[in-house]
Amino acid sequence: MTPRTFRLILIAALALVLTSCWQQRKTDAELGLTAHQSAGRRVFDDNCARCHEAYSTRGLQGPSLHRLFKKQYLPSGAPANDERITSTILGGRAKMPAFGNTLSRAQLDALLDYLKTL
Ligand code: HEC
């Protein structure tokens, strides 16, 4: 293989890896999010995404939140409603930290609005 061919293959492989990473992340517009839901997505990205997947059923440190509000029950068995999900977020749970002192009421509202789109 000539060095030139090798470089071309390397660039092609890199491009493939990069595009597959980008494809995984849909834009807010592609997801059809409102401005309020987009704000909630940012709250999610900043506070929840390191432990929870939004669009895949794969668990990270915590269970996947895909279809969170569309299911009847949370992983713990509690009903999947505003009240229980809000208290989980504000108070934390097992290894999940509490966000009661981190999130404002407006951030929490936007976050819940976003979680309902999952
Ligand atoms: C440091 C990791 C971590 C972060 C950050 C985190 N969680 Fe969790 N979360 C967990 C773990 C671990 C569990 C499972 C707790 C258990 O054992 O019941 C969990 C459980 C949950 C549950 C399910 C509760 C139930 O009753 O089954 C919800 C809903 C949830 N998290 C939402 C969120 C949201 C929304 C955020 C961001 C504001 C967030 N989590 C941030 C780790 C995390």
Side-chain angles (χ1 to χ4, degrees):
M1 199 190 304
T2 67
R4 187 161 180 267
T5 320
F6 182 73
R7 267 205 308 275
L8 280 176
I9 291 173
L10 210 68
I11 290 167
L14 200 71
L16 206 72
V17 169
L18 284 177
T19 48
S20 66
C21 287
W22 284 329
Q23 271 166 6
Q24 278 172 4
R25 170 96 186 167
K26 285 197 177 158
T27 65
D28 294 359
E30 279 169 338
L31 293 167
L33 301 182
T34 64
H36 194 239
Q37 290 160 347
S38 300
R41 190 186 194 194
R42 282 195 296 279
V43 176
F44 181 87
D45 287 343
D46 292 345
N47 298 280
C48 322
R50 67 192 156 101
C51 294
H52 295 287
E53 283 278 1
Y55 298 106
S56 130
T57 53
R58 192 165 56 105
L60 295 175
Q61 285 195 58
S64 156
L65 300 187
H66 187 53
R67 296 178 52 79
L68 180 69
F69 272 97
K70 300 193 171 73
K71 294 183 193 150
Q72 205 178 348
Y73 299 105
L74 297 173
S76 64
N81 57 30
D82 273 61
E83 197 195 330
R84 297 308 290 260
I85 292 172
T86 299
S87 72
T88 303
I89 296 169
L90 296 183
R93 190 187 159 78
K95 288 188 184 146
M96 173 169 158
F99 289 89
N101 295 325
T102 318
L103 299 181
S104 67
R105 183 71 227 181
Q107 285 178 311
L108 178 69
D109 282 348
L111 175 61
L112 288 173
D113 201 13
Y114 168 65
L115 291 174
K116 285 176 184 161
T117 68
L118 300 183

